[in-house]
Amino acid sequence: MSSTINNLNLQDLPSASDMRVGIVVCEWNSHITTPLLDATVDTLKQYGAKPEHIMVRTVPGSFELIFAANQMVKSGLVDGVIAIGCIIRGDTPHFDFIAQGCTNGIAQLNATGNIPVIFGVLTTNSVEQAVERAGGTLGNKGEEYALTAIKMIDYARSYER
Ligand code: DLZ
């Protein structure tokens, strides 16, 4: 196995065998978010996460990720949350409002909460760019989301040791 994936150093990566991970995934652009979700779950399992410790919930669109991720954070049922969405630029300014709102909302959860929330939201100018990153020529970003969650849960735990 190579020692990096998508710029992430895999050396000293902790096992996810005792980690509980929540995933919130969007229905919007499901042809993109489903392969992102699948790669995220597969990678978590590959690094030891137990299937029964991976909680997956679905929301309509990326704007709803903020509320749903916050509910998961507050539930105390998980050690970290991965928010998965795909926002594709259209003909109206809607893209900018949703992308900005979603980004700010998830950033705020990270700044104020006590568990990490991973930003697994693709923001692309075209469907093609999204496909490239969801199992296409540029790989699958879901792997990166899972690895980042494992690293950040371990990071959060370093303050408990
Ligand atoms: C309305 C909308 C639009 C135009 N585009 C996207 C998108 O590309 N990706 C996405 O995840 N959601 C989109 N949405 C839906 C909004 O995120 C949200 O569900 C609605 O504005 C209702 O709050």
Side-chain angles (χ1 to χ4, degrees):
M1 190 181 292
S2 88
S3 60
T4 61
I5 288 183
N6 294 353
N7 297 312
L8 295 176
N9 184 358
L10 301 184
Q11 266 163 10
D12 303 325
L13 193 76
S15 165
S17 61
D18 64 344
M19 294 183 180
R20 300 166 303 162
V21 183
I23 301 174
V24 195
V25 60
C26 293
E27 292 169 18
W28 260 83
N29 298 315
S30 62
H31 61 298
I32 303 296
T33 60
T34 299
L36 290 174
L37 170 67
D38 291 346
T40 302
V41 170
D42 286 350
T43 306
L44 287 170
K45 288 183 192 165
Q46 187 187 335
Y47 285 89
K50 297 184 177 71
E52 63 269 28
H53 288 171
I54 302 172
M55 177 197 286
V56 180
R57 299 292 300 272
T58 303
V59 293
S62 294
F63 203 77
E64 284 70 48
L65 287 173
I66 307 156
F67 177 83
N70 193 30
Q71 294 298 108
M72 270 193 181
V73 169
K74 290 191 296 186
S75 76
L77 296 173
V78 294
D79 302 308
V81 176
I82 303 172
I84 297 178
C86 173
I87 312 172
I88 300 174
R89 190 180 288 281
D91 295 333
T92 71
H94 220 71
F95 170 94
D96 300 292
F97 294 121
I98 294 171
Q100 195 66 252
C102 175
T103 308
N104 289 346
I106 291 177
Q108 198 182 344
L109 294 183
N110 276 289
T112 56
N114 58 357
I115 62 171
V117 179
I118 307 309
F119 185 67
V121 181
L122 291 181
T123 54
T124 64
N125 289 323
S126 66
V127 175
E128 291 71 29
Q129 286 180 341
V131 169
E132 282 171 350
R133 291 160 176 79
T137 51
L138 297 179
N140 191 316
K141 289 281 180 184
E143 289 180 8
E144 183 183 318
Y145 307 153
L147 295 170
T148 303
I150 293 169
K151 281 173 176 269
M152 290 307 295
I153 290 170
D154 186 60
Y155 180 86
R157 286 181 175 175
S158 70
Y159 287 92
E160 297 166 4
R161 289 173 196 141

